[in-house]
Amino acid sequence: QVQPVESGGGSVQAGGSLSLSCAAYGATPASCLGWFRQAPGKEREGVASIGADGATTYSDSVKGRFTISKANTGNILYLQMSSLKPEDTAMYFCAVDPPGGFPHNNCFRLDYLPEFGISGQGTQVTVSP
């Protein structure tokens, strides 16, 4: 399967906004997609997911500040980030469900994104105080 390609990262001051995009090659409207991130020296953290029916799940750390969405074609994923904090600084990765889907077709388990998802090279987000 072709790796997705993330874009849109950059540097911003705290309180600012950024929008990430992901070309999720091979994904369809039935796919479960999501974003996870990894900060230096920290474990990977699932951030948000969106299912075939559009149902979304967010980590507590970003709820109310980030919005995940996807194109109707199911193969372009977005993450709108606002009220950014320095602790949001990380490499952000797009994750596409693997062939056969995530375990139990669960699109709500954010920890499944880095563990089982097909991800790209990531895009860096840096938030300065």
Side-chain angles (χ1 to χ4, degrees):
Q1 185 149 346
V2 179
Q3 285 184 313
V5 178
E6 302 92 344
S7 62
S11 298
V12 65
Q13 287 191 321
S17 300
L18 278 175
S19 183
L20 306 183
S21 299
C22 170
Y25 299 109
T28 70
S31 299
C32 171
L33 307 173
W35 293 92
F36 66 92
R37 65 188 181 185
Q38 186 167 27
K42 294 188 177 181
E43 294 189 356
R44 296 175 299 179
E45 175 194 13
V47 171
S49 68
I50 184 165
D53 59 356
T56 57
T57 303
Y58 296 93
S59 67
D60 288 343
S61 60
V62 307
K63 197 173 296 182
R65 301 187 297 120
F66 290 12
T67 301
I68 188 171
S69 62
K70 62 178 179 177
N72 290 336
T73 53
N75 60 1
I76 303 177
L77 183 67
Y78 305 100
L79 185 68
Q80 178 64 41
M81 305 182 293
S82 60
S83 301
L84 283 161
K85 305 175 181 180
E87 50 263 43
D88 294 318
T89 295
M91 187 72 80
Y92 283 71
F93 299 87
C94 165
V96 179
D97 56 359
F102 287 113
H104 312 294
N105 286 315
N106 190 321
C107 197
F108 303 107
R109 286 281 301 269
L110 296 178
D111 57 326
Y112 283 174
L113 298 174
E115 184 171 0
F116 301 109
I118 298 170
S119 58
Q121 298 299 310
T123 186
Q124 178 68 37
V125 171
T126 302
V127 184
S128 57

